[in-house]
Amino acid sequence: MNKTVIKQIFTIVSGMGMLGLSLVCGAQPTSTGSGQAYPAKPVRMVVPFPAGGGVDVTARILAQALTARVGQSFIVENRSGASGMIGTEFVAKAVPDGYTKLVGSQTTQAVVPAIYKANYNPARDFAPITEIAKSPMLLVRPQLPVKTAAELIRLARIKPGELTFGAAPGATIHMAAELFKIMAKIDMRLIPYKGEGPAIVDVMGGQVMLMFSNMPVSLPQVRGGRLRVLAVTNAQRVPSLPEVPTIAESGLPGYEAATWFGFFAPAATPRDIVARLNAEAVAGLNPPDVRDRLASQGYFVVASGVEPFTAFVNAEIPRWAKVVKEAGINPE
């Protein structure tokens, strides 16, 4: 390129200002405080629960999508313990440089802090990036002589305290049951379990009368004829069970509960990094093959913007704190 052409390009760009510069040079990548393009090294995505659960499943699918889009590794690290508080606190106190992230849930951000004395504040210590997905729950029973949620409510009112349900105390399925009890003004008795797996085994065996179960756990049992489903906890019917009504439309208007999974950064993470991760996560979760992969396991992609997700989380925190208080749930 000769000097005359270079001079002409410089004159045009100078006249166009920063817009011209960006058009000629291309959009600049997100930068860290050191001036390096972000991400310049692998990003750690902390899951505060063991491998194989809902948080872990959604985290690994998101990590694959981000790795493919950004060209840098996003690595899932399981730091479980204390109902998710260990891993969640680790991220809350991590250096906010964009390289340590949390894949949390309704449990870590809204329920556990309302029950236990957590060493983190979910509203203060995190910058929400995006809601990844939701998983509705199914209200299931093996042998109870009821076919709808409305019939279950009527039976519970006739036999206060006699119906039993299984759940790990403080888990999302427990909270869904407590919300159901509060809104229906009924009394059912919790049979505590250490996890959802043992609870559903006893429900199928008839030792427990019913339970609210995460869809990925109970759907295979429903399809196999080992459990009967009365209703879904979602606000709308789910595509994989279109014939099953919601609890809201079958006796309890306004009822809604679903396990949700979200992507978070430490609160002081630069806003441009949060915005970049949101854009990449949303783009990575929206392709039909990714949505279908999650839907086949009972998870439904949300992929929300930063502001809507922040507002959602800020509403969920007091919502579930109120349920915890009204249900009288105390630390073990």
Side-chain angles (χ1 to χ4, degrees):
M1 186 178 292
N2 61 42
K3 293 182 179 180
T4 302
V5 173
I6 293 174
K7 184 176 180 180
Q8 289 173 343
I9 292 174
F10 180 79
T11 301
I12 291 170
V13 172
S14 297
M16 294 174 68
M18 290 304 296
L19 174 60
L21 185 61
S22 66
L23 290 171
V24 173
C25 298
Q28 295 299 306
T30 305
S31 176
T32 63
S34 63
Q36 292 180 308
Y38 175 84
K41 60 182 182 180
V43 177
R44 175 166 49 183
M45 294 170 58
V46 174
V47 170
F49 298 103
V55 180
D56 185 71
V57 168
T58 53
R60 292 183 187 279
I61 290 177
L62 176 61
Q64 290 174 7
L66 288 172
T67 298
R69 287 193 58 81
V70 177
Q72 186 59 264
S73 295
F74 283 73
I75 301 169
V76 173
E77 179 180 309
N78 297 91
R79 283 180 172 256
S80 61
S83 299
M85 288 188 286
I86 290 175
T88 306
E89 180 185 349
F90 175 81
V91 177
K93 296 181 178 179
V95 177
D97 58 1
Y99 292 98
T100 302
K101 299 288 177 284
L102 172 74
V103 178
S105 66
Q106 170 189 337
T107 299
T108 61
Q109 308 306 113
V111 176
V112 165
I115 299 175
Y116 302 97
K117 187 178 180 181
N119 291 322
Y120 63 88
N121 183 310
R124 180 195 64 209
D125 295 337
F126 295 95
I129 299 172
T130 187
E131 184 177 358
I132 303 167
K134 275 189 169 73
S135 177
M137 286 167 264
L138 303 180
L139 173 54
V140 295
R141 54 87 177 171
Q143 299 171 346
L144 272 179
V146 294
K147 295 181 180 179
T148 66
E151 290 180 7
L152 174 63
I153 292 171
R154 286 195 292 270
L155 181 62
R157 287 174 178 165
I158 295 170
K159 300 182 177 183
E162 293 185 31
L163 302 189
T164 58
F165 68 97
T172 53
I173 60 173
H174 178 204
M175 302 309 296
E178 295 294 350
L179 178 63
F180 183 77
K181 287 168 54 182
I182 291 168
M183 292 183 65
K185 297 180 174 59
I186 59 175
D187 181 22
M188 299 190 301
R189 183 162 52 91
L190 169 67
I191 305 299
Y193 289 85
K194 290 186 177 181
E196 187 172 357
I200 203 165
V201 168
D202 277 3
V203 170
M204 288 189 294
Q207 288 89 351
V208 181
M209 295 179 180
L210 61 98
M211 72 181 293
F212 287 75
S213 176
N214 283 299
M215 194 170 170
V217 176
S218 53
L219 186 57
Q221 312 305 329
V222 170
R223 286 175 171 165
R226 291 176 289 275
L227 284 174
R228 298 285 185 90
V229 57
L230 301 181
V232 297
T233 63
N234 213 30
Q236 299 85 30
R237 297 191 183 197
V238 297
S240 50
L241 291 170
E243 74 284 2
V244 178
T246 67
I247 289 177
E249 66 182 331
S250 56
L252 206 59
Y255 181 92
E256 179 184 3
T259 301
W260 56 263
F261 310 93
F263 195 27
F264 298 86
T269 301
R271 298 302 94 181
D272 60 337
I273 290 179
V274 171
R276 168 82 189 282
L277 287 172
N278 172 267
E280 299 292 359
V282 169
L285 290 168
N286 270 319
D289 62 320
V290 178
R291 286 181 167 270
D292 291 346
R293 183 179 171 190
L294 280 163
S296 69
Q297 300 178 66
Y299 306 97
F300 300 94
V301 169
V302 178
S304 54
V306 172
E307 290 185 2
F309 184 42
T310 300
F312 173 75
V313 172
N314 288 340
E316 284 285 277
I317 293 170
R319 180 192 184 205
W320 292 109
K322 181 180 178 182
V323 173
V324 167
K325 183 177 180 180
E326 290 187 15
I329 300 172
N330 297 307
E332 294 180 349

